[in-house]
Amino acid sequence: MGKRSSQKKNAAMLDSDDDDSSISSSSSIRSDRMSIWGAEEVQPVKDNLLDQALDALYEKRGSTREKALAAIIEAFNSNMQHEFVEKKFATLMHQCLNCIKRGSSKEISLACRVIGLLALTVGCGDDVREILEESVTPLSQALKSGFDSLKIASVIECLAVVTFVGGNDPQETERSMEIMWHVVHPKLGSNVVAVKPSPAVITAVVSAWAFLLTTMDGLTLSSKHWQEAISYLSSLLDKDDRSVRIAAGEALALIFEIGSLEKFTSESKSSNDNAAQGENSNRIHGLKGKFLNQVRNLSAEAAGKGSAKKDLNSQRNLFKDIQEFLEDGYCPETSMKIGGDSLETSTWSKLTQVSFLLYFLGGGFIKHMQDNEFLHDVFGFTPKSKQLAGGELRMSGGEKRLYKSPNSVLNKARTQFLNKQRMLSKDKNIGRYAVNRGDEEV
C-alpha cells in the first residue's frame, strides 16, 4: 500500500535557526558556587562546578545532595559532558546509586534522572553495560519501598533509559519490562495487599514498557506475557484519566505495527493445527475489532466538564491517527526541527522513541539530538551544522576519544547496537508523552 502524502509534516516543531538558541548555556548554571549548596557545606576553591557537585553528593544533608543532583542535571542538559564522564563516570554512578538507596523521594527522582543522562552520554560500550548491571537491583528495590508517584515514575523511566542504551540481548530487556509490569500487576502472596497504582504511575509504566518494546523482537516474549499485556492495555482505554488512555493507545498501535498481536495470541505453535489457526484468527479479529471501536469512540470524544482542551485535542488527534493506521495501514508522520535540521518519524516505533526521549530529556533534548552520537545512530540523524565541508564531524577531544579511536566505545558496540535494532532494520524512514500532531506544538 502506497504511502500517503503527509498531512502531519512539520506538526511538531522545535524552531531554532541558531544551534544554541533553544539550549540553556552552561553559563546559565549559577556562578556563585557557594550559594548552590550552602557556604557552610562546600569549599569555594574548586574551579569545576561538576566536580564540586559530585563532592556534594558525599554530604550527609539530603537537601545538599538534592541541589547537587539538580546542578548535575542542568550541566548534562546544557552540554555533552564527555571529558567529565571519561574521568568520573564510576564515581558519579555509584554516588547516584547511593542516593537511590538512602534518599528521599525527591532525591531518588533526581538521582534517577542523572543516571539516565549518564547512560545517554556514555552511549554504547562497557561503561553503559556497567550502569545497567549495577542499577537494576537498586532500582527494583526502590520500586518496592513506598508508593510516591513521582519516585516510582522516575525509577521506571530511568530503568527504561539504561536498558534502552545498555541492554545487549532480549533477556535483559525483557527483564526490565517485567520489572515495570509488576508495578501495575504485582505478584501477590497470601499476606500481600495490592496497592492501586496512580494514573501517573500507570502512564509511566505503559510508556516506558512501549519504549523498550521498540527494541524487541516480539518472538522472544512469551505468549502469556503478550496476552496479558494486550488485555490490560485494552482495559486502560476505558479509564477516566486521559493520559492513561493516550499511553495505552500508543502502546497498542505499536503492538499492531510490529505484528505482535498475530504472533502471540495463538496458544498453539503448530503450523499444521488448522483448528488452532482458525481459532487464533478469530481471536485476532475480535481483539482488533474491539480495539477499533474503542479508537473510534476516543477519536470523537466530546468535551466534558473539567476536561483540559489541549489534552482532549491530543487524544482526538492520536486516536484519529490510530484509526487511520488500523483501517488503511498508514502510520502518522511527524517532523521536528532541530536547529536547521529536521528529525522525521514515519513509524510508531520511532515516534515512541522520540516522544519518550523528548519527555525524559526535556530542555536537553535539542542539545543531545545535535551532539549525542548515540542518538544520531539510533535515529540515523546527522545535523548538517555539525559537518565540515569535507563531511567530517566537528568533535571535541573528549568526543574523539569516545567515538573516533580504534578502541572507542562506539566502534566496539556498533554491531551490538545494530543487532538490538534488528526489528527496525526494514524501516528506512526515520521515525509518549509530548509529540503532538496536527497544528499543535511540542
Side-chain angles (χ1 to χ4, degrees):
M1 185 174 293
K3 183 186 294 185
R4 60 172 176 166
S5 60
S6 173
Q7 298 177 353
K8 309 292 193 300
K9 278 291 187 187
N10 302 317
M13 306 294 287
L14 294 177
D15 291 312
S16 169
D17 291 329
D18 183 321
D19 286 350
D20 298 322
S21 63
S22 298
I23 305 164
S24 299
S25 167
S26 60
S27 64
S28 67
I29 302 175
R30 286 172 288 179
S31 58
D32 186 353
R33 296 168 184 171
M34 293 177 65
S35 69
I36 295 179
W37 303 295
E40 76 280 8
E41 295 164 341
V42 178
Q43 296 296 323
V45 297
K46 292 189 176 182
D47 293 328
N48 191 296
L49 261 180
L50 275 172
D51 284 332
Q52 196 170 355
L54 182 57
D55 287 347
L57 296 182
Y58 290 91
E59 294 291 333
K60 292 183 179 180
R61 184 176 297 180
S63 60
T64 300
R65 298 194 301 270
E66 290 172 7
K67 291 177 182 178
L69 289 166
I72 293 170
I73 290 169
E74 186 172 357
F76 271 73
N77 274 341
S78 300
N79 286 290
M80 300 301 298
Q81 303 293 341
H82 291 306
E83 293 186 7
F84 176 80
V85 167
E86 187 177 14
K87 297 174 183 177
K88 303 292 180 69
F89 150 77
T91 304
L92 178 59
M93 176 188 68
H94 286 295
Q95 286 307 113
C96 286
L97 292 176
N98 286 335
C99 291
I100 290 174
K101 293 174 183 177
R102 65 178 180 173
S104 64
S105 291
K106 181 179 179 181
E107 184 177 344
I108 292 171
S109 179
L110 291 168
C112 285
R113 182 84 176 277
V114 172
I115 290 176
L117 288 168
L118 181 61
L120 287 168
T121 302
V122 169
C124 296
D126 293 339
D127 285 348
V128 79
R129 294 284 306 150
E130 185 178 351
I131 294 175
L132 177 59
E133 292 168 0
E134 295 289 332
S135 298
V136 169
T137 297
L139 292 174
S140 299
Q141 292 172 345
L143 292 173
K144 301 174 183 177
S145 59
F147 304 100
D148 179 84
S149 294
L150 175 62
K151 181 194 78 171
I152 298 298
S154 298
V155 171
I156 290 292
E157 289 154 5
C158 176
L159 179 61
V161 171
V162 298
T163 305
F164 182 82
V165 183
N168 282 344
D169 60 66
Q171 288 74 25
E172 291 173 329
T173 303
E174 185 173 6
R175 174 187 62 184
S176 293
M177 294 172 74
E178 288 181 346
I179 290 171
M180 297 171 183
W181 202 252
H182 291 158
V183 174
V184 292
H185 276 290
K187 291 182 177 179
L188 302 178
S190 57
N191 297 322
V192 178
V193 178
V195 176
K196 186 177 180 179
S198 69
V201 168
I202 295 173
T203 301
V205 168
V206 172
S207 298
W209 184 89
F211 178 60
L212 291 184
L213 179 60
T214 64
T215 71
M216 289 291 287
D217 178 347
L219 288 170
T220 62
L221 295 177
S222 69
S223 167
K224 181 181 179 181
H225 184 102
W226 278 111
Q227 291 177 32
E228 289 178 352
I230 293 167
S231 177
Y232 177 69
L233 292 172
S234 180
S235 73
L236 294 181
L237 296 179
D238 298 323
K239 298 298 182 181
D240 292 335
D241 189 88
R242 187 165 284 128
S243 64
V244 170
R245 298 199 295 264
I246 290 173
E250 290 175 335
L252 282 165
L254 176 63
I255 289 173
F256 274 92
E257 179 180 76
I258 65 178
S260 300
L261 189 66
E262 287 78 1
K263 293 176 183 176
F264 299 104
T265 51
S266 175
E267 297 178 358
S268 172
K269 296 184 179 180
S270 173
S271 60
N272 297 321
D273 191 341
N274 293 329
Q277 290 183 32
E279 182 181 349
N280 180 46
S281 178
N282 290 334
R283 186 184 294 113
I284 294 170
H285 182 76
L287 285 170
K288 188 172 182 178
K290 178 185 177 182
F291 182 37
L292 185 54
N293 286 333
Q294 290 174 306
V295 166
R296 287 171 177 156
N297 291 334
L298 291 169
S299 68
E301 183 181 54
K305 183 178 179 181
S307 297
K309 184 176 180 180
K310 182 178 179 180
D311 293 340
L312 178 59
N313 288 337
S314 296
Q315 174 185 293
R316 287 171 174 170
N317 290 333
L318 168 66
F319 285 97
K320 285 177 183 177
D321 285 339
I322 297 176
Q323 181 179 346
E324 188 172 3
F325 171 63
L326 293 175
E327 292 178 340
D328 303 321
Y330 297 125
C331 294
E333 296 181 351
T334 65
S335 180
M336 303 177 64
K337 194 170 183 182
I338 308 293
D341 307 288
S342 293
L343 172 64
E344 300 177 354
T345 74
S346 59
T347 66
W348 288 107
S349 291
K350 287 302 178 188
L351 179 58
T352 299
Q353 291 176 358
V354 168
S355 54
F356 186 94
L357 291 170
L358 175 59
Y359 169 81
F360 183 83
L361 289 169
F365 180 79
I366 294 176
K367 187 63 176 177
H368 275 263
M369 283 308 309
Q370 289 176 323
D371 297 338
N372 190 315
E373 289 287 324
F374 171 75
L375 295 185
H376 294 170
D377 246 10
V378 170
F379 298 111
F381 177 75
T382 304
K384 298 183 183 68
S385 58
K386 298 294 288 184
Q387 293 185 350
L388 299 175
E392 292 189 2
L393 293 178
R394 185 184 290 109
M395 290 185 173
S396 67
E399 288 175 318
K400 289 178 181 178
R401 286 190 292 274
L402 280 168
Y403 297 117
K404 288 296 187 181
S405 70
N407 294 320
S408 71
V409 294
L410 187 62
N411 287 332
K412 287 180 178 180
R414 187 178 299 274
T415 299
Q416 293 174 332
F417 174 77
L418 293 175
N419 286 338
K420 182 181 176 183
Q421 295 291 318
R422 60 191 177 277
M423 279 296 290
L424 302 176
S425 62
K426 64 179 183 298
D427 299 324
K428 299 184 183 297
N429 293 314
I430 305 304
R432 162 196 114 99
Y433 282 91
V435 174
N436 296 327
R437 301 157 181 83
D439 296 326
E440 296 177 73
E441 297 178 352
V442 172

